[in-house]
Amino acid sequence: MKVKLTFLGTGTSSGVPMIGCDCPVCRSADPRDNRLRASVLVEYGGLSILVDCGPDFRQQALRAGIRHLDAILLTHNHMDHTGGLDDTRALNLCEGHPVNIYCEPYVVRSLEKMYAYAFAQPRYPGSPEWHVHEIGNSPFTVRSNEGDEVIWWKSGVGYQHRPALEGVPEKTVEIVPIQGWHLKDKSISVLGYRFGNIAYLTDMCLLQDDELAKLQGLDAVTLNCVKIQPHRSHFSLQECLDLFEKIGAKRSYITHVSHLLPCHSQFEEMLPPDVHAAYDGLVLESE
């Protein structure tokens, strides 16, 4: 099944350039060194799927012309991956459906705190309309939102709801989650995702060998790296390269890049021929 993955953002939690920084990377004139917070748009089996929705989502959506999403998959609960979820209100209004969010149970609990107004009853008029689905480390199915309940805005009242339309053809795809860890003590779980022959993983510092079986036979894989040296919550460059070799994908890409790594053109020269630094707007495709 054909997959198209677009990098909406490839930066670390501070983005690049970082506020207040005057380093050569932050001053670079190369547009590939301008990095919004890490997120990708995946077009797969006729569905549009967003992975992570950070504080730059509005800018990313406008830049990429996003007008429709079937689902949002969250990797974990940190703000640089969830801080833009309120902006999905615009899709509620334009599409007339709730937004489907898929994440681990601990991430749901975090969203309930961060976005308490979106879960409260009675609802504040205009708060985002979400359907939140709890997932784990087993394959799960994502469905098109065309068959979801219909919502419409009533001025002075808020969203009105009616059941899903009957007879709407349903498109589905199976997603394979890959569990890694944001800290080596395994206190923060992070899910990567495999879409056909492309896998996207970020914000990990530990990926156990039993998860590598899910990553065989890939055309492309993405891992995170914020600096060359070891880091307590992200792969170092050598750890990243070693994992790429274990996975054995045809092409490998580095994301969640910070200003602690060299400028894009210099970074590319440091990498093996089949490994690349991803940049905002880069598109990967696989049949």
Side-chain angles (χ1 to χ4, degrees), residues 44-66:
Y44 181 43
L47 274 61
S48 293
I49 301 169
L50 181 73
V51 181
D52 286 334
C53 187
D56 299 322
F57 171 67
R58 180 180 178 275
Q59 183 179 353
Q60 292 167 340
L62 291 172
R63 183 171 68 178
I66 295 174

Side-chain angles (χ1 to χ4, degrees), residues 146-247:
E146 296 167 355
D148 282 350
E149 68 170 309
V150 177
I151 60 175
W152 72 97
W153 181 258
K154 185 175 181 180
S155 181
V157 177
Y159 279 107
Q160 305 296 291
H161 298 248
R162 69 167 180 260
L165 298 173
E166 295 184 5
V168 176
E170 190 176 68
K171 291 175 284 191
T172 65
V173 293
E174 184 178 79
I175 310 297
V176 178
I178 299 96
Q179 185 177 48
W181 303 95
H182 213 340
L183 293 171
K184 286 187 167 61
D185 65 6
K186 300 182 183 178
S187 59
I188 303 176
S189 172
V190 181
L191 291 183
Y193 300 101
R194 177 170 181 160
F195 309 89
N197 287 328
I198 293 180
Y200 177 80
L201 289 75
T202 188
D203 281 59
M204 296 180 183
C205 71
L206 176 63
L207 181 65
Q208 293 172 270
D209 287 343
D210 55 359
E211 291 295 287
L212 291 177
K214 299 177 181 179
L215 297 171
Q216 301 307 301
L218 291 171
D219 289 333
V221 65
T222 299
L223 295 175
N224 55 289
C225 179
V226 298
K227 65 178 186 178
I228 294 172
Q229 297 85 2
H231 190 280
R232 70 185 300 265
S233 58
H234 291 271
F235 293 127
S236 68
L237 180 57
Q238 191 58 55
E239 287 172 328
C240 211
L241 296 178
D242 290 346
L243 262 176
F244 283 145
E245 189 171 348
K246 281 186 178 181
I247 293 167

Side-chain angles (χ1 to χ4, degrees), residues 7 16-17 34 55 59 88 96 128 131 167 180 186 242 256:
F7 289 93
V16 183
N34 290 331
Q59 183 179 353
T88 61
H131 283 167
K186 300 182 183 178
D242 290 346
H256 213 280

Side-chain angles (χ1 to χ4, degrees), residues 9-216:
T10 56
T12 189
S13 57
S14 300
V16 183
M18 187 177 80
I19 294 171
C21 184
D22 198 36
C23 76
V25 177
C26 288
R27 289 187 286 107
S28 170
D30 186 339
R32 295 172 298 182
D33 288 318
N34 290 331
R35 301 180 183 276
L36 300 178
R37 265 64 75 93
S39 176
V40 294
L41 177 68
V42 179
E43 297 166 76
Y44 181 43
L47 274 61
S48 293
I49 301 169
L50 181 73
V51 181
D52 286 334
C53 187
D56 299 322
F57 171 67
R58 180 180 178 275
Q59 183 179 353
Q60 292 167 340
L62 291 172
R63 183 171 68 178
I66 295 174
R67 305 177 65 87
H68 164 74
L69 287 176
D70 291 291
I72 298 174
L73 313 184
L74 299 178
T75 57
H76 62 301
N77 66 338
H78 287 171
M79 192 62 74
D80 55 321
H81 298 263
T82 61
L85 284 169
D86 184 78
D87 284 322
T88 61
R89 292 181 296 124
L91 295 174
N92 294 151
L93 191 63
C94 295
E95 293 209 72
H97 294 293
V99 171
N100 287 292
I101 299 173
Y102 296 78
C103 56
E104 291 190 86
Y106 90 90
V107 180
V108 178
R109 305 291 87 81
S110 182
L111 297 180
E112 290 172 344
K113 294 178 181 179
M114 286 191 290
Y115 296 99
Y117 61 92
F119 293 89
Q121 295 296 336
R123 301 288 295 282
Y124 173 77
S127 61
E129 295 278 341
W130 299 331
H131 283 167
V132 181
H133 309 267
E134 293 187 358
I135 59 173
N137 194 22
S138 300
F140 61 96
T141 299
V142 170
R143 293 174 172 79
S144 61
N145 72 348
E146 296 167 355
D148 282 350
E149 68 170 309
V150 177
I151 60 175
W152 72 97
W153 181 258
K154 185 175 181 180
S155 181
V157 177
Y159 279 107
Q160 305 296 291
H161 298 248
R162 69 167 180 260
L165 298 173
E166 295 184 5
V168 176
E170 190 176 68
K171 291 175 284 191
T172 65
V173 293
E174 184 178 79
I175 310 297
V176 178
I178 299 96
Q179 185 177 48
W181 303 95
H182 213 340
L183 293 171
K184 286 187 167 61
D185 65 6
K186 300 182 183 178
S187 59
I188 303 176
S189 172
V190 181
L191 291 183
Y193 300 101
R194 177 170 181 160
F195 309 89
N197 287 328
I198 293 180
Y200 177 80
L201 289 75
T202 188
D203 281 59
M204 296 180 183
C205 71
L206 176 63
L207 181 65
Q208 293 172 270
D209 287 343
D210 55 359
E211 291 295 287
L212 291 177
K214 299 177 181 179
L215 297 171
Q216 301 307 301

